[in-house]
Amino acid sequence: MKLGRELLSAQAIQQRVRELAEQVSKDYARIARPLILLSVLKGSVCFATDLSRYVTVPVNFDYVAVSSYGSGTESSGVVQLLKDLTMEVTGRDVLMVEDIIDTGLTTSFLFEHVQRHRPSSLKLCVLLNKEERRVKPVPISYKGFDIPNHFVVGYGLDYDELYRNLSAVHVLEPD
Ligand code: 5GP
């Protein structure tokens, strides 16, 4: 597989991340304690980090990790928690930050997992959404872009651990 055409430019991504951060800042302007930005390793790190730089309310960072595609491009459908929350989220406002939602299986698993800790609120912020692939519905509060059903890389997203450092999002193509 090789790097294909650019789907979203670095500039378009940064512009949209700023807009999402503005909306988040407005919605959480009156919270009593810092907003917990909970991102999913490793793919969401670029997005969550950039988002946090534009958000104007106080934030805390936490991370979870789940098993996903491994080294291929197809989801196994089986989600496993590899790294749990380290912060106490009970009674706190939590914003789950996701790189991409495909079938929705990973996100709904995580959403239910965090919900069991009884946060005072839990919302979902996702950069890329592949709506046509959805198997399980997920409640998205903040969405960056709807994209077609391609396997994409860059801006945190990998293929075999490569391409995460690209500032644009590209389609992956066969050799
Ligand atoms: P879902 O459970 O929604 O099917 O998949 C979620 C996870 O699969 C994402 O967090 C991501 O790790 C991976 N994934 C889904 N689509 C893509 C894609 O187009 N490119 C990459 N690199 N990963 C993807």
Side-chain angles (χ1 to χ4, degrees):
M1 302 294 274
K2 65 173 178 14
L3 197 63
R5 73 186 162 87
E6 186 179 281
L7 188 67
L8 298 167
S9 69
Q11 202 189 359
I13 295 170
Q14 290 302 316
Q15 173 61 29
R16 191 73 189 113
V17 173
R18 269 200 207 97
E19 289 166 6
L20 292 175
E22 205 174 300
Q23 193 59 53
V24 168
S25 303
K26 270 189 200 143
D27 294 351
Y28 291 94
R30 269 177 273 282
I31 52 171
R33 296 177 66 190
L35 173 65
I36 297 180
L37 288 183
L38 177 65
S39 44
V40 186
L41 296 171
K42 304 174 194 170
S44 306
V45 168
C46 293
F47 176 39
T49 306
D50 279 350
L51 187 76
S52 74
R53 285 193 267 242
Y54 300 127
V55 160
T56 55
V57 294
V59 297
N60 293 157
F61 286 174
D62 204 2
Y63 301 91
V64 287
V66 289
S67 60
S68 71
Y69 281 149
S71 59
T73 59
E74 271 303 312
S75 172
S76 64
V78 181
V79 186
Q80 215 188 340
L81 194 66
L82 301 177
K83 186 211 165 294
D84 206 346
L85 298 156
T86 56
M87 296 194 77
E88 174 68 62
V89 300
T90 307
R92 300 285 302 273
D93 294 289
V94 179
L95 183 62
M96 237 172 78
V97 182
E98 279 269 24
D99 48 359
I100 189 162
I101 303 188
D102 188 31
T103 62
L105 292 169
T106 309
T107 307
S108 57
F109 169 88
L110 280 173
F111 206 85
E112 283 161 27
H113 177 72
V114 178
Q115 201 79 71
R116 278 196 287 276
H117 290 264
R118 289 174 285 106
S120 101
S121 76
L122 176 61
K123 291 209 267 182
L124 181 61
C125 177
V126 58
L127 185 69
L128 307 174
N129 180 44
K130 289 191 207 169
E131 191 66 38
E132 64 179 282
R133 294 263 304 166
R134 198 60 35 83
V135 171
K136 208 151 182 204
V138 284
I140 303 176
S141 298
Y142 307 95
K143 179 173 67 180
F145 302 91
D146 282 304
I147 62 163
N149 181 19
H150 297 304
F151 193 84
V152 293
V153 294
Y155 200 63
L157 289 157
D158 77 311
Y159 174 67
D160 230 353
E161 291 302 328
L162 266 179
Y163 309 123
R164 293 194 195 275
N165 60 319
L166 303 180
S167 12
V169 167
H170 291 251
V171 172
L172 196 72
E173 283 177 355
D175 288 318

